[in-house]
Amino acid sequence: MFPAAMLRQATSFAVCILGLASTAWGQGLLVDVAPSRHRPLPRPIVSPRPEPPPGSYKIDSIDIHAKLVDQVAQVGVSQTFQNIGSRQMEVCFVFPLPYDSAIDKLTLMVDGKEFEGKLLPADEARKLYEDIVRKNNDPALLEWVGTGLFRTSVFPVPPGAKRTVTLRYTQVCRQSQGLADFLLPLRTARYTTGALESLNITVAVESSEPIKNIYSASHKVDVQRNGDRRAVVKYTAKHEIPSSDFRLFYDATAAGIGASVVSYRPDADEPGYFLLLASPDIQTANDAPPAKTVVIVVDRSGSMTGEKIEQAKGAMRFVLNQLREGDTFNIVAYDSAVETFRPELEQFDNDTREAALGYVEGLYAGGSTNIAGALDRALGMLNDSSRPTYVVFLTDGLPTAGETNEAKIVDVVSNANRVRARLFSFGVGYDVNSRLLDRLVAANFGQSEYVRPDQDIEAAVSNLYRRVGTPVLTDVQLSFDVESARASDGPMVSRTYPSGAFDLFAGDQAVIVGRYAKPGAAKVTLSGCVAGKEQAYDFPAELVADSSDDTNAFIAKLWAARRVGEIIDQIDLHGRNDELVKELVTLATRHGILTQYTSYLADENGAQPGDLAGNVRRSGEVADESLAESEGRFAFSQRAAKSNLKAAPQADALSLSGLGGRGGTTLESLPAIEREQLQQATVVGNAVWFDARNQRSAVARNILQRGRKTFFRQGDRWVDSKVLERSSQSANRIERYSRDYFDLVARHGRHVNQYLSIDEPVVIELDGKVYEW
């Protein structure tokens, strides 16, 4: 539930619809500006709902269509509001203007009628924001101080009536370190009495140069490419309360690899964070994709009987139909015995494809599970290290035949892998030894996928294979050369994820995060093999020295999520290490990345986030007990959650909640009350984590996240985690809504806006000083 102060509802008639903008506009929100009344913005509440206040409203739907041609955006936004109160509301549409963007051809219509408006410069807009905040005793609007605004004339909304506001404009998108940066504000839609019925975003991208990277830092989008210069990006949701703005990066270049770096450094005394996007379009001498080798290893033991073996056959058919002439392949089927489609690798052509499909049709389930023998046989037939090689391994059980000891199986498989083949394992159902699968892929340069009993094996395999089916640059290494760096400074980047060498695939893009030690102009080099030949590609980047706002704070959160997944993996595979456990606890308190092993921090009564030594001991004990389980539902779910963190594409709260790994569970499919509670948590900024033992997304209501900071509830206050680390510091008391309070933004940067908008007592550290209001 929201804190009491966050559940108050608007109760008046004279209001303004306030739309947010940073580099683009989206929808609006209703702000009561009538004199002499206390009217905070509405917040969503859980059913059953009380009678709505007289002047409350609901946002029904938002539809956004944008066309981006090179760096110019043409945007159309349609949003429907409904007055769900008992009195007529007199409203105007008001939205802030972007402080660093060029806007042209702006049209605003209400129910098809065009409205005139007035432009207020930033100083006047700031005064209006502050006046509304003081009058309503509600700091929510302070998030958007610092921009000018546009305000229309007043129009009525009778009780029960709906008004559709349509906004059309043309804008030049901001360039963010080589990437076009398109932002659609959605956060204002969280100020509503309920979830949106529908949210639809369609962005068509066109470019005069080939489009390489398209990445949303905020939402899990569907990207459909139409040739190399056009793409359509879509996001659709129902019953959603937007908790973040929609942000899309893209770049276009004729170069073989499209690569761009975005950096973020909130603390000048600590290493910064970087995000690298890389998308290849590398042609070989004959313009054909490089040849590869694929070996499918499929479990046909007795437990695979029925639907599972049929789905496995479907997965094998899919892979076989995606192979190309020049590829080599084989199939290894195993139960207690091991057999192959052909004695050795087979050249792919139509004849061998038909023969292989016939072999697949003849497979049936029965017998025990000889994992070591099957993988030893598959890897033993590989002898060409010059071509990309992939082993697709499916199993639903424990090793029960041949070698059954975990460590010895890993040794057998690693020793057989002489060509650096990448092993992709698919653990099907809860009976697998999930720890063994993770050990196998860690030793063989691959990754684990976990398929729950109610998921489709064929869909899981085909989703992965579509992404990795065409390798173009393999065994890629990443290096940064910073202009001001000296050899004695040591490595310029560290703790990059994915870690180690990786492959780049046609039609896919790599999302790489890491830390950098020194800011400045840099040359980034990606080196690897193209069709067996060494190649290197370099491009420029700028690593910022200091970030005064949190525009790119998502990079730190994404890095922290992947680092947490990596730490858990190291503890799981190699045993407890107190330094790693300490870092796990520190990442939980600083970034709000909770897991099964730090979930006690979500205990509102027993959490002691400042007790580092005690928390390290407690997390170590929980990890020892939990990770000792190697089979069963809890073991499976722990390692699926770990894999999700290691490969997280975004670090938004819903991605970290474990929805994606719960048998295809979506937010929309949850029961209404559970869905709204989870949405409320993400809207407020509470930490969310996946409780693998109880198979649910859990909310830490005593943890609040805002940009670069994580706050813990201590009594009636939200206390910055950095203050908890330095408990001896005394706080400077500032009166809320005073001149000193508003001036904190000017003194410490725009990122402070989001802390001022917290409507309960706050203790915070800013540039080494502690403040309290």
Side-chain angles (χ1 to χ4, degrees), residues 119 401 457 489 501 551 690 753 770:
L119 177 65
I457 302 169
D489 292 330
T551 303
F690 178 58
N753 287 353
V770 177

Side-chain angles (χ1 to χ4, degrees), residues 180-200:
D181 185 356
F182 180 61
L183 180 69
L184 282 169
L186 295 176
R187 288 180 298 151
T188 51
R190 68 181 184 262
Y191 296 112
T192 172
T193 53
L196 277 65
E197 293 298 323
S198 65
L199 170 62
N200 299 291

